[in-house]
Amino acid sequence: MLPIRSLIATTMVATTTGLLAVPAQAVQQATPTLVGIRAAHHNGLDRLVFEFRGRVPDQRDVRYVSKLIADGSGRRVNAVGSALLRIRFAGADGHDRNGKVTYGPASRTYALPGLIQVVNTGDFEAALTFGAGLAWRAPYRVYTLTRPSRVVIDIATPHRTVPVRAHFLDTARYETGRGPHTTGVRRPVIPPATAHGALQRLFAGPTQAEKAHGLRFVSSRATGFSRLTVKNGVARVYLTGRLTSGGSAFTVADQIRPTLKQFPSVKWVKIYDAGGHTQRPYGPSDSVPESLEP
């Protein structure tokens, strides 16, 4: 018979062959698993919460970076924002024993004043990493809570915002041939660069709730935009990525135009590819590069 002290320090775990005695300390030290990510706006801040099953990860590192790099592959990861936060949890997993992701979508968009997007950048060798795209480089605070285990990041939102609309493909309208084929959704942006902010929010895509209602962002392989100018009623948008229509009559241009033409200062929209080409660079007309033609 085991001494009482040994019994107290032992947990019985069921196996296929019976019961296996495992030290309780080993059970308690199981790797924390991320089970949820959520965000909401509170007075003066956007709150980003990572919830874990088990304990809070022992090592947490949150810092501003110039770019996001995928763990393992070393490839650059795109996230929409004027500032990027890297969020890293060492000694944590984001998947179960079968390799299934435990926290939901790897990329998600928020219609919040400061927080635009959160993307996963790694779940590699018990290191779990995310990037957060922000509208502005703002002060932040990191702390933990228990029951359940959470890591909380409060991002200050001291700036004033104004509402604009980002226009996404409405799949229900498009599939039935009803126009318009886009639906505009509200986003908060920081003035005076409201057109730039609206375009950022467009490239971040719809929120999870908006996706559930059939809204989609058609990228046409554009990865973002490098520059936007508005002068004499003409908005010029310089896209990045290897653009292609894929033979479709609906492209990223069909979302960019209504997103920018909501502003009184924009009458025409000229869209350029990564090489700086568009079909009608001059005159009062809209224009797209040849690669976006069906």
Side-chain angles (χ1 to χ4, degrees), residues 32-34 92-96 99-103 123 128:
T33 301
L34 183 67
D93 287 329
H95 60 274
D96 60 20
K100 183 179 179 181
V101 174
T102 53
Y103 56 84
D123 186 356
L128 190 57

Side-chain angles (χ1 to χ4, degrees), residues 13-26:
V13 179
T15 69
T16 55
T17 57
L19 293 176
L20 175 66
V22 178
Q25 184 178 6

Side-chain angles (χ1 to χ4, degrees), residues 29 81 96 124 129 150 152 165 171 234 236 244 246:
Q29 294 301 315
D96 60 20
F124 183 69
T129 314
R150 286 154 289 166
V152 183
R165 290 190 176 273
T171 56
V234 179
R236 299 181 188 273
T244 177

Side-chain angles (χ1 to χ4, degrees), residues 248-289:
S248 174
F250 189 96
T251 71
V252 65
D254 296 290
Q255 299 156 110
I256 291 174
R257 281 192 290 262
T259 297
L260 292 179
K261 287 186 178 182
Q262 69 182 295
F263 302 106
S265 60
V266 178
K267 294 183 178 179
W268 310 103
V269 176
K270 295 186 185 293
I271 299 170
Y272 295 76
D273 63 19
H277 304 112
T278 194
Q279 294 182 97
R280 292 181 295 277
Y282 308 108
S285 65
D286 293 333
S287 179
V288 298

Side-chain angles (χ1 to χ4, degrees), residues 65-103:
V65 294
S66 59
K67 58 185 176 181
L68 299 173
I69 302 298
D71 293 341
S73 70
R75 293 178 300 176
R76 187 165 182 168
V77 178
N78 287 323
V80 175
S82 297
L84 299 172
L85 271 181
R86 189 194 70 167
I87 303 157
R88 188 174 189 271
F89 306 107
D93 287 329
H95 60 274
D96 60 20
R97 293 179 180 178
N98 299 317
K100 183 179 179 181
V101 174
T102 53
Y103 56 84

